[in-house]
Amino acid sequence: MDIKELNTLIRNRRSVFPKQYINKEISDETINQILENANWAPTHKLTEPWRFKVFKGNGLQKLSNYLGDEYLKKFTGDKYSEFKHKKTIKKPLQCAAIIGICMQRDPKSSIPEWEEVSAVACAVQNMWLSCTALGIGAYWSSPGLVTGKNEIMNLDDGETCLGLFYMGYWEGETADSQRGKIEDKVQWIRE
């Protein structure tokens, strides 16, 4: 790959949402390839804090049921929205796979927690770029119904959930994305 191909890949990465996904399976081999690329993210002191929980097949229904139940526990009375409840239940069922993005904190706390979170974010970026290259739509969401500690992810001690990575082959177009000028965000210090 040359720099032009890399530039194109990075600049064409977009959030693609479940409502755009089509009914097409993502093979376990493809998911493993994506996760192997995630595994090559930078990590201070090689703590490799990323952990992933893959939901496919009946696992998507299990996640849908869990999110629906958690929604009902959290949003009662005036806070309840039938529309949001149905959307919460439907979203996982529109996906070919969902990956729980988790972080295993270094038991020795040898590096600051923000560095561990950053390493997981780098792993997710590797996943996202891999999905883009493979024609798979994806986006990272951090719904309060799963972030932190939860029952659905089978978390180990010191492990926390940072969100869900929704995935599916898709059709349609994504919105154009704009970025401000890099010159407005960089300060050169030469002396």
Side-chain angles (χ1 to χ4, degrees):
M1 173 180 284
D2 66 23
I3 191 66
K4 289 180 182 177
E5 291 173 312
L6 180 61
N7 290 345
T8 299
L9 180 66
I10 290 170
R11 294 172 192 179
N12 285 322
R13 187 221 41 87
R14 298 284 181 276
S15 294
V16 181
F17 303 100
K19 65 183 178 183
Q20 294 175 270
Y21 299 166
I22 59 174
N23 187 17
K24 181 178 176 183
E25 182 181 356
I26 301 172
S27 72
D28 291 358
E29 290 171 350
T30 298
I31 291 173
N32 281 326
Q33 179 182 17
I34 291 165
L35 293 174
E36 183 61 35
N37 288 343
N39 197 41
W40 285 91
T43 169
H44 189 188
K45 293 192 177 184
L46 296 175
T47 60
E48 301 179 40
W50 42 82
R51 300 292 184 272
F52 303 107
K53 317 294 180 171
V54 181
F55 294 87
K56 278 187 74 179
N58 291 333
L60 293 168
Q61 183 65 60
K62 183 178 178 181
L63 181 59
S64 171
N65 294 343
Y66 175 82
L67 292 171
D69 291 347
E70 289 300 302
Y71 183 92
L72 290 175
K73 289 179 196 173
K74 187 171 183 174
F75 299 102
T76 59
D78 292 343
K79 294 180 180 180
Y80 174 80
S81 163
E82 184 177 356
F83 173 79
K84 288 182 182 178
H85 183 230
K86 286 182 178 179
K87 184 178 177 182
T88 298
I89 293 168
K90 183 179 179 182
K91 195 182 292 186
L93 303 177
Q94 295 172 304
C95 300
I98 297 175
I99 299 176
I101 302 165
C102 302
M103 178 188 74
Q104 178 64 56
R105 183 77 170 109
D106 171 25
K108 298 176 187 174
S109 297
S110 61
I111 62 172
E113 184 176 21
W114 73 265
E115 290 188 22
E116 303 274 59
V117 173
S118 297
V120 173
C122 288
V124 173
Q125 178 71 347
N126 284 1
M127 292 165 57
W128 221 328
L129 292 173
S130 298
C131 285
T132 300
L134 292 165
I136 297 170
Y139 91 103
W140 180 358
S141 177
S142 52
L145 300 175
V146 294
T147 53
K149 297 291 182 189
N150 62 64
E151 296 82 36
I152 192 78
M153 300 285 175
N154 300 318
L155 300 171
D156 291 331
D157 287 341
E159 189 176 2
T160 188
C161 179
L162 301 178
L164 300 172
F165 192 71
Y166 295 86
M167 300 169 62
Y169 288 102
W170 63 287
E171 291 180 348
E173 295 185 23
T174 59
D176 284 336
S177 185
Q178 300 294 320
R179 297 292 190 268
K181 295 179 193 174
I182 190 64
E183 293 84 4
D184 296 339
K185 302 169 189 168
V186 176
Q187 183 181 53
W188 293 80
I189 303 167
R190 298 183 190 272
E191 295 179 19

